[in-house]
Amino acid sequence: MSKIAVVLLSGGLDSTTTLAIARNERYDCYVMSFRYGQRNKVELQCAENIAKLMGAKQHNIIDIDLRTFGASALTDDIDVPKGRSDVEMEDGIPITYVPARNTIFLSYALAWAEVLAADTIFIGVNAIDYSGYPDCRPEYISAYQEMANLATQAGVEGPTKLTIRTPLIDKTKTEIIRIGTALGVDYSLTLSCYDPDVDGQACGECDSCVLRKKGFENAGISDPTRYR
């Protein structure tokens, strides 16, 4: 009997590596991405290409509009911070945080998992080399998983409980890149930048680009990212 999982895919480095891990564990992967009002539209094309290349059973792109609420540099007319030091990145929650984003994404994934009779959701959150987002922490994922098993028919009546898998949550960017490279991930297809240009070239200066650059450098692996 096949194993079924819903995998959240943004088109970035972490989520693509997570999809590769799920595939390597022989899950049938149903992939979900979001057009949520993000200023960076190029990442969705990356996600489509990656889902096809990595053999997703189905790829759904969900339309929601978090621009309604704004308050994030990813969805509002707010400058993306550039050139921040490690100390600055570790100090507080940055303006690139999108309010409740992972809670919303996981809710959609949970609904689809119920329909598919999937008992696993994969999400590429990371609590080591990240920008301090509260919805990337282990305690958040644990609480959400508990809620999911209280809130769904599958959780109450089903033979197995839902598990939210976060295989990268305690990994550094260097470790993530090495894991993905060993699994054959083509990182030239991914985009991590918070502020790319219309051609998909990364800015090289936002928090995400800085962490990505450092990860490739420390891993001793050539960085295939197109920087402008």
Side-chain angles (χ1 to χ4, degrees):
M1 184 175 178
S2 62
K3 299 188 295 182
I4 300 173
V6 174
V7 183
L8 292 172
L9 178 69
S10 69
L13 186 151
D14 293 348
S15 65
T16 301
T17 306
T18 299
L19 175 57
I21 290 169
R23 283 188 64 220
N24 188 60
E25 294 184 13
R26 303 193 181 280
Y27 279 92
D28 287 342
C29 295
Y30 290 77
V31 174
M32 179 174 279
S33 305
F34 293 86
R35 188 179 292 107
Y36 63 91
Q38 66 267 54
R39 290 160 57 180
N40 169 18
K41 304 295 193 299
V42 186
E43 67 179 13
L44 283 174
Q45 186 57 60
C46 293
E48 285 194 73
N49 295 338
I50 291 162
K52 289 176 183 176
L53 181 68
M54 297 181 71
K57 292 291 183 182
Q58 188 175 336
H59 181 209
N60 275 345
I61 298 178
I62 307 299
D63 284 290
I64 53 178
D65 192 0
L66 298 183
R67 289 177 302 179
T68 300
F69 311 115
S72 168
L74 303 191
T75 59
D76 209 339
D77 294 326
I78 300 170
D79 290 339
V80 171
K82 304 283 181 70
R84 299 206 307 160
S85 67
D86 290 347
V87 172
E88 288 173 316
M89 283 192 277
E90 292 170 1
D91 182 23
I93 298 170
I95 195 62
T96 50
Y97 165 67
V98 180
R101 182 175 59 177
N102 282 344
T103 301
I104 294 166
F105 289 179
L106 281 169
S107 295
Y108 275 85
L110 175 59
W112 200 19
E114 273 215 281
V115 171
L116 295 169
D119 63 3
T120 307
I121 295 171
F122 281 86
I123 181 171
V125 294
N126 177 264
I128 304 297
D129 284 341
Y130 78 128
S131 298
Y133 301 155
D135 55 1
C136 290
R137 297 173 299 157
E139 52 267 45
Y140 163 76
I141 296 296
S142 176
Y144 193 97
Q145 179 177 288
E146 182 177 358
M147 181 280 298
N149 283 304
L150 291 171
T152 57
Q153 181 179 359
V156 173
E157 297 180 350
T160 58
K161 298 294 186 182
L162 177 83
T163 300
I164 299 177
R165 293 281 306 279
T166 57
L168 306 181
I169 201 162
D170 60 351
K171 307 296 183 190
T172 65
K173 273 290 184 287
T174 300
E175 290 172 320
I176 292 167
I177 289 166
R178 285 174 175 161
I179 290 168
T181 299
L183 293 174
V185 172
D186 181 355
Y187 284 118
S188 71
L189 300 175
T190 68
L191 181 65
S192 301
C193 182
Y194 292 149
D195 191 27
D197 65 18
V198 293
D199 296 319
Q201 295 182 106
C203 74
E205 298 176 4
C206 68
D207 292 1
S208 188
C209 280
V210 169
L211 291 170
R212 179 177 172 125
K213 279 182 175 180
K214 189 180 298 183
F216 277 106
E217 181 180 348
N218 291 341
I221 294 170
S222 177
D223 183 355
T225 310
R226 294 185 302 123
Y227 295 104
R228 65 175 180 264

